[in-house]
């Protein structure tokens, strides 16, 4: 179709298309740059007529400003664009870590059987609420993120997404996640999730620009998700359900201290008042990290003493905590970027290994399941219930009183161990019928 086409000079092109002004493109002297009055930028390559031996011509329709719809193009491009923006706005990798801690709390709060449908609903609701909290965090910090190298490419400071759009996304997904938890779990789990969203977005986020105490408030935010999972599974808050949240709280302090030390210049540029802001030598930062690592030492013992895990977890937890404490001590003695990064990597390794060990060595809450089954039987058949009660009364007169978890949680020689160092081998637990 271009067999009889001739070359258009810049002057003749301007006469044919008077709305466009032609000037040489910056990247190619022979290619014209066409600036129009539209509201987006798009590059359009014109096909080269046959028989013309010159370099290929290309034109770029330049648009000043720009709307989101104008930039994304067709449906597939729009899906990819907004999907990527929502992924980054939600801090999806961080949200998945939050979901993992919530799922671990759900498993720990379950009995001998785990409701996998309930586990999935709890993780989905937690993921939505976490995504909403992270999105609101970026909405409030868009001007700060634009000043920092590691955050200036996020959707809001880069202009790939508008602030009203982000607020609408955060509100929708947060409301959906809270409703899902209230519907599929219970009101207490939904209330904890909603409270955590408010604490993160409206307390922790502004505190980052006001006072270094924001690190400790943020640690509380990170400790609540496993409690959400525990409550969703068990329906209440018990001392055993606070072990994993406490471990997460103390773990986050050295994790954030290492990050704040490594990125302190970036935080200063962004206007965030981190603990390392007024600690030029890094001594106080390293000391706080070391102290909170030591606070992690008794976590394994508490889990064992309260009948939640076997004694092996106590030993493994102690060794794991000694590992991260050694990294923190090395950073305290020699405050270099290399040692800070080593402590940061040690903190990244600690959390998944600790949770995996907790889940692997957990002891189900047998006595609650037994009581629930007996209560259900009494409600369905009162006559059978009377026989069961009489049988239990007879057995109680002949057998000594035992702790419900004594056969599972303790061996006869477990008390000979010096807590929190149970170096005795794993005992062979006696049967409940013996």
């Amino acid at each position: 179709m271009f067999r009889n086409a001739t070359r258009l000079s810049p002057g003749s092109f301007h006469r044919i298309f008077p709305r466009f002004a032609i000037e040489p493109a910056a990247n190619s002297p022979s290619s014209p740059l066409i600036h129009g009055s539209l509201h987006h930028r798009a590059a359009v390559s014109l096909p080269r007529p046959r028989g013309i031996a010159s370099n290929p011509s290309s034109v770029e329709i330049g648009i000043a400003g720009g709307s989101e719809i104008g930039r994304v193009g067709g449906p597939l491009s729009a899906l990819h664009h907004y999907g990527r923006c929502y992924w980054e706005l939600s801090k999806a990798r961080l949200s998945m870590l939050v979901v993992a801690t919530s799922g671990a709390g759900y498993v720990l709060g379950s009995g001998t059987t785990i409701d996998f449908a309930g586990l999935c609903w709890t993780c989905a609701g937690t993921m939505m609420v976490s995504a909403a909290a992270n999105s609101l965090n970026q909405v409030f910090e868009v001007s700060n993120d634009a000043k920092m190298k590691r955050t200036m490419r996020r959707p809001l400071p880069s202009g790939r997404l508008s602030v009203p759009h982000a607020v609408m996304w955060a509100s929708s997904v947060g409301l959906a996640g809270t409703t899902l938890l209230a519907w599929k779990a219970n009101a207490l789990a939904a209330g904890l999730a909603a409270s955590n969203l408010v604490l993160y977005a409206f307390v922790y986020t502004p505190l980052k620009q006001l006072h270094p105490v924001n690190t400790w408030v943020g640690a509380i935010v990170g400790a609540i998700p496993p409690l959400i999972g525990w409550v969703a599974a068990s329906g209440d808050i018990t001392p055993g359900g606070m072990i994993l949240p406490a471990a997460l709280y103390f773990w986050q302090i050295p994790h954030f201290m290492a990050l704040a030390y490594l990125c302190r210049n970036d935080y200063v540029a962004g206007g965030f008042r981190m603990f390392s802001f007024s600690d030029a030598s890094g001594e106080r930062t390293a000391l706080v990290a070391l102290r909170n690592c030591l606070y992690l030492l008794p976590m394994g013992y508490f889990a064992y003493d309260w009948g939640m895990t076997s004694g092996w977890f106590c030993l493994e937890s102690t060794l794991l905590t000694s590992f991260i404490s050694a990294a923190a001590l090395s950073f305290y003695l020699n405050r270099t970027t290399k040692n800070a990064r080593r402590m940061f990597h040690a903190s990244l390794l600690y959390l998944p290994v600790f949770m995996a060990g907790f889940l692997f060595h957990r002891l189900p809450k047998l006595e609650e399941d037994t009581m629930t089954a007996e209560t259900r039987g009494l409600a369905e058949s009162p006559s059978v219930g009377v026989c069961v009660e009489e049988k239990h009364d007879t057995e109680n007169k002949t057998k000594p009183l035992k702790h419900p978890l004594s056969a599972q949680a303790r061996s006869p020689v477990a008390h000979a161990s010096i807590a929190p160092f149970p170096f005795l081998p794993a005992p062979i637990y006696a049967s409940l019928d013996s």
Side-chain angles (χ1 to χ4, degrees), residues 147-196:
K147 303 174 184 177
M148 301 171 62
K149 293 181 180 179
R150 70 184 186 92
T151 57
M152 62 175 55
R153 296 180 181 272
R154 287 177 174 175
L156 296 182
S158 63
R160 288 182 288 138
L161 205 67
S162 65
V163 171
H165 190 140
V167 172
M168 181 183 65
W169 154 258
S171 303
S172 302
V173 74
L175 182 61
T178 305
T179 304
L180 184 64
L181 287 172
W183 178 34
K184 293 296 184 179
N186 51 62
L188 182 56
L192 284 172
S195 301
N196 209 30

Side-chain angles (χ1 to χ4, degrees), residues 97 100-105 107-108 244 247-248 303 308-310 312-314 316-317 320 348-363:
L97 175 62
T101 61
S102 178
V107 174
L108 292 173
L244 186 55
L248 270 169
M308 297 188 63
T309 64
S310 65
W312 285 108
F313 176 70
C314 184
E316 294 169 3
S317 175
L320 183 63
L348 292 178
L349 178 64
Y350 175 88
L351 184 60
V353 175
F354 180 86
M355 290 197 303
F358 206 157
L359 295 175
F360 182 77
H361 293 289
R362 83 177 186 102
L363 298 176

Side-chain angles (χ1 to χ4, degrees), residues 125-400:
T126 305
M127 181 72 178
M128 293 180 185
V129 176
S130 177
N134 289 322
S135 301
L136 289 175
N137 172 264
Q138 294 188 50
V139 168
F140 295 142
E141 294 181 350
V142 58
S143 60
N144 303 87
D145 288 344
K147 303 174 184 177
M148 301 171 62
K149 293 181 180 179
R150 70 184 186 92
T151 57
M152 62 175 55
R153 296 180 181 272
R154 287 177 174 175
L156 296 182
S158 63
R160 288 182 288 138
L161 205 67
S162 65
V163 171
H165 190 140
V167 172
M168 181 183 65
W169 154 258
S171 303
S172 302
V173 74
L175 182 61
T178 305
T179 304
L180 184 64
L181 287 172
W183 178 34
K184 293 296 184 179
N186 51 62
L188 182 56
L192 284 172
S195 301
N196 209 30
L197 188 153
V198 172
L199 184 62
Y200 183 78
F202 300 99
V203 179
Y204 166 71
T205 298
L207 269 178
K208 289 171 67 177
Q209 304 178 48
L210 299 176
H211 198 276
V213 76
N214 68 79
T215 300
W216 284 263
V217 176
I220 296 175
V221 173
I224 291 180
L227 188 60
I228 296 174
W230 177 280
V231 168
S234 64
D236 60 353
I237 300 176
T238 59
M242 297 300 297
I243 295 178
L244 186 55
L248 270 169
Y249 175 85
F250 293 125
W251 165 81
Q252 286 176 95
I253 305 300
H255 176 79
F256 286 144
M257 289 298 165
L259 183 63
Y261 185 85
L262 292 171
C263 305
R264 51 184 174 178
N265 293 332
D266 220 15
Y267 280 125
V268 171
F272 297 119
R273 299 189 63 85
M274 308 305 291
F275 189 78
S276 59
F277 182 80
S278 58
D279 184 24
S281 65
E283 181 178 1
R284 294 171 57 201
T285 302
L287 183 60
V288 169
L290 176 60
R291 183 171 66 242
N292 282 269
C293 286
L294 296 178
Y295 291 157
L296 290 168
L297 280 172
M299 292 298 126
Y301 170 72
F302 287 147
Y304 166 66
D305 187 64
W306 294 347
M308 297 188 63
T309 64
S310 65
W312 285 108
F313 176 70
C314 184
L315 174 61
E316 294 169 3
S317 175
T318 302
L319 295 176
L320 183 63
T321 305
S322 300
F323 169 73
I324 189 176
S325 298
L329 179 61
S330 176
F331 175 51
Y332 176 72
L333 296 177
N334 187 14
R335 294 176 297 278
T336 62
T337 302
K338 180 180 179 180
N339 287 336
R341 187 174 290 109
R342 184 178 301 169
M343 186 181 72
F344 180 76
H345 291 159
S347 69
L348 292 178
L349 178 64
Y350 175 88
L351 184 60
V353 175
F354 180 86
M355 290 197 303
F358 206 157
L359 295 175
F360 182 77
H361 293 289
R362 83 177 186 102
L363 298 176
K365 299 185 296 182
L366 296 176
E367 81 285 359
E368 293 188 11
D369 291 348
T370 304
M371 292 173 62
T372 303
E374 292 180 357
T375 304
R376 190 183 302 113
L378 289 174
E380 294 175 355
S381 180
S383 59
V384 176
V386 172
C387 296
V388 171
E389 288 180 355
E390 291 177 354
K391 181 180 179 181
H392 280 293
D393 290 341
T394 305
E395 292 179 352
N396 290 336
K397 292 178 181 179
T398 58
K399 292 185 178 182

